[in-house]
Amino acid sequence: MEVEASGQGEMEIVNNVMCLLTDPEGAPLGPAMYLPQNSGPQQLQQIVNQLLNNEEKLPYAFYISDQELLVPLGTYLEKHKVSVEKVLSIVYQPQAIFRIRPVSRCSATIAGHTEPVLSVAFSPDGLHLASGSGDTTVRLWDLNTQTPLHTCTGHRNWVLCIAWSPDGKYLVSGSKAGELQCWDPQTGKPNGSPLNGHKKWITGISWEPVHLSAPCRRFVSASKDGDARIWDVALKKCVMCLSGHTLAVTCVKWGGDGMIYTGSQDCTIKVWETSQGKLIRELKGHGHWVNSLALSTEYVLRTGAFDHTSKRYSSPEEMKKVALERYNKMKGNAPERLVSGSDDFTMFLWEPFVSKHPKTRMTGHQQLVNHVCFSPDGQWLASASFDKSVKLWNGITGTFVAAFRGHVGPVYQISWSADSRLILSGSKDSTLKVASGGKDRMLKLWMG
């Protein structure tokens, strides 16, 4: 179909193409429509905002066959030799309304720890940082002034894991001795005696989401001893022991639907309900140890009611309400997704609430997969491997998108910026230590 556009007496022929706009889950935004081939992302953005009746104009990115559309439709069709006789499916994805500046410089090197830094975690409101070290201490840092706040002492061995409660009221740390300690971040003092129960070192900690329970009281810990335990910080004791794995539990996540997921060296992922601690599902498929688990909703679960606006809340009920709104908005109509990375070089994408069978198997890494991480908006998935690469995948379908090959050593960890636009990776080659600590006993803060 052609449209004649006249301007200053000249006739210009503009070809049209039949397009169908769909959301990331595949639901169409109205019927297919003819769009001029000179339409680009800017024009598509206006159309989507209009069709969705958005009062405030929101930013969107557009994808055709998992490739971002950055040029006019005509240019894309010509370059990729796409037939205009078929309906062109264009996926629109909402973007964060704020933008993180790319990392360009190290703004502070904060000394204090006397042994390697083994774990770090930002507070849900982004104002503080906690670090655990081989010197057996947990340290709290003020990110505005980039100075030390508190040194928390009490552990008898290396601090391997730390996790903030989503309401920011507590910080829990787990050590190589198998003990857990709850801290008051305001004072740096212990909130009661150490929590004992695990027989070997702690491998992971995850809090119950604030939209399920406010104020935050319960968290789950995983251990090399093969058990996961649910603790109550108000009762100051273990309230449930999740036994069933035959080897070490390597990772644990408390999902937004109220279920706990544990990954183990016994090659399985177990799904537990949290009122009685019963095993409700077992996810099988990996041929070697499960190293890492990630949830598509993880970012909103970790940050609870806090977002880029820095809003403060007067009551736990208000915080719970806002956190639930954020969670439901992020999740949409689709079920919560889980991804697992393994020593068998593969990853599986699951929808555990729907099925015990994987949605897809993701292959491509040439060595074990060390870490997997969903982007905050749940649309993307990144994986870090000992094959020195970071791979990017579609977070909904599990389709491979791209590989990043800048490192010359195994890649240990990855992290996303809050706007889902940047990935950071830390490697054995000692490059890009972004708030990840290291053997130099320093914390490095990087800013745009």
Side-chain angles (χ1 to χ4, degrees):
M1 183 175 171
E2 297 179 345
V3 175
E4 293 184 352
S6 60
Q8 298 179 344
E10 293 180 9
M11 300 291 284
E12 187 190 340
I13 304 295
V14 179
N15 290 320
N16 284 359
V17 59
M18 179 73 87
C19 299
L20 180 67
L21 290 162
T22 66
D23 68 12
E25 272 80 43
L29 182 62
M33 64 186 97
Y34 279 108
L35 294 176
Q37 288 193 18
N38 58 7
S39 301
Q42 204 171 346
Q43 289 76 18
L44 290 172
Q45 208 153 244
Q46 290 173 347
I47 292 166
V48 170
N49 273 301
Q50 207 165 347
L51 290 173
L52 290 172
N53 298 317
N54 292 334
E55 289 180 18
E56 187 184 335
K57 300 302 175 216
L58 300 174
Y60 293 91
F62 298 91
Y63 296 86
I64 302 172
S65 304
D66 276 337
Q67 280 202 320
E68 187 172 3
L69 180 70
L70 301 168
V71 293
L73 286 170
T75 310
Y76 178 90
L77 296 171
E78 197 176 324
K79 184 182 175 185
H80 295 86
K81 298 183 170 53
V82 179
S83 168
V84 291
E85 293 180 7
K86 294 178 184 174
V87 176
L88 186 67
S89 182
I90 303 173
V91 178
Y92 67 90
Q93 285 188 2
Q95 300 290 287
I97 53 177
F98 58 93
R99 187 177 279 272
I100 302 293
R101 288 174 299 183
V103 172
S104 58
R105 63 190 173 87
C106 176
S107 66
T109 298
I110 320 175
H113 284 297
T114 57
E115 291 291 334
V117 180
L118 304 174
S119 49
V120 288
F122 286 107
S123 62
D125 59 10
L127 298 178
H128 301 104
L129 179 71
S131 58
S133 166
D135 63 12
T136 75
T137 68
V138 172
R139 287 178 180 256
L140 291 158
W141 314 84
D142 185 317
L143 292 178
N144 286 327
T145 59
Q146 300 177 353
T147 54
L149 269 179
H150 305 292
T151 301
C152 312
T153 56
H155 279 296
R156 294 179 288 117
N157 211 321
W158 303 349
V159 181
L160 301 177
C161 310
I162 47 176
W164 293 80
S165 61
D167 60 3
K169 297 281 187 283
Y170 300 105
L171 176 75
V172 166
S173 54
S175 83
K176 193 166 185 278
E179 67 191 6
L180 293 139
Q181 181 66 65
C182 185
W183 310 91
D184 179 352
Q186 297 298 315
T187 62
K189 302 291 183 204
N191 184 46
S193 304
L195 302 169
N196 293 303
H198 284 298
K199 298 178 229 17
K200 291 187 178 177
W201 64 83
I202 309 299
T203 56
I205 301 167
S206 185
W207 281 85
E208 183 174 20
V210 71
H211 72 260
L212 296 176
S213 172
C216 292
R217 284 180 53 163
R218 297 196 301 172
F219 68 90
V220 61
S221 60
S223 169
K224 170 76 174 168
D225 64 12
D227 292 339
R229 289 176 177 266
I230 298 176
W231 308 81
D232 189 311
V233 293
L235 300 175
K236 297 182 172 58
K237 67 175 186 179
C238 174
V239 291
M240 261 171 266
C241 181
L242 312 178
S243 299
H245 284 294
T246 55
L247 288 172
V249 181
T250 53
C251 42
V252 62
K253 299 291 176 189
W254 198 317
D257 292 328
M259 297 183 290
I260 288 175
Y261 308 97
T262 52
S264 167
Q265 288 181 353
D266 66 11
C267 309
T268 68
I269 299 151
K270 294 188 188 294
V271 186
W272 313 81
E273 64 85 41
T274 56
S275 59
Q276 295 174 295
K278 287 182 181 172
L279 176 67
I280 54 174
R281 193 160 275 176
E282 198 169 35
L283 310 179
K284 293 181 177 178
H286 282 298
H288 212 311
W289 298 352
V290 177
N291 293 325
S292 180
L293 292 175
L295 286 164
S296 57
T297 53
E298 206 161 315
Y299 179 77
V300 290
L301 298 182
R302 184 181 71 78
T303 54
F306 298 105
D307 62 11
H308 65 285
T309 60
S310 304
K311 188 183 173 192
R312 316 310 289 177
Y313 298 94
S314 55
S315 69
E317 292 72 31
E318 186 190 6
M319 193 177 272
K320 183 178 179 179
K321 180 171 171 279
V322 174
L324 182 61
E325 285 170 4
R326 285 188 77 210
Y327 173 73
N328 287 332
K329 184 181 176 186
M330 194 270 135
K331 192 166 80 95
N333 299 319
E336 196 170 52
R337 298 182 303 285
L338 177 80
V339 69
S340 54
S342 166
D343 260 30
D344 65 8
F345 307 177
T346 72
M347 296 178 294
F348 280 110
L349 184 65
W350 314 82
E351 288 179 347
F353 202 69
V354 177
S355 170
K356 66 177 182 180
H357 302 294
K359 190 176 179 182
T360 187
R361 182 171 182 253
M362 292 174 278
T363 59
H365 280 298
Q366 306 299 309
Q367 290 285 333
L368 66 88
V369 180
N370 206 40
H371 192 210
V372 288
C373 194
F374 272 98
S375 61
D377 62 9
Q379 303 295 334
W380 306 104
L381 179 59
S383 57
S385 168
F386 272 30
D387 66 9
K388 307 173 190 173
S389 76
V390 172
K391 291 189 187 292
L392 184 68
W393 315 78
N394 183 305
I396 294 165
T397 62
T399 311
F400 173 74
V401 177
F404 306 108
R405 302 189 180 277
H407 287 295
V408 294
V411 187
Y412 291 147
Q413 276 194 322
I414 36 184
S415 180
W416 286 86
S417 62
D419 62 356
S420 302
R421 291 183 174 104
L422 301 168
I423 311 173
L424 302 174
S425 56
S427 163
K428 187 181 178 180
D429 63 17
S430 79
T431 61
L432 200 61
K433 286 185 260 186
V434 182
S436 62
K439 285 189 179 177
D440 56 9
R441 305 185 296 279
M442 301 291 185
L443 279 168
K444 291 183 184 291
L445 290 177
W446 300 74
M447 296 181 71

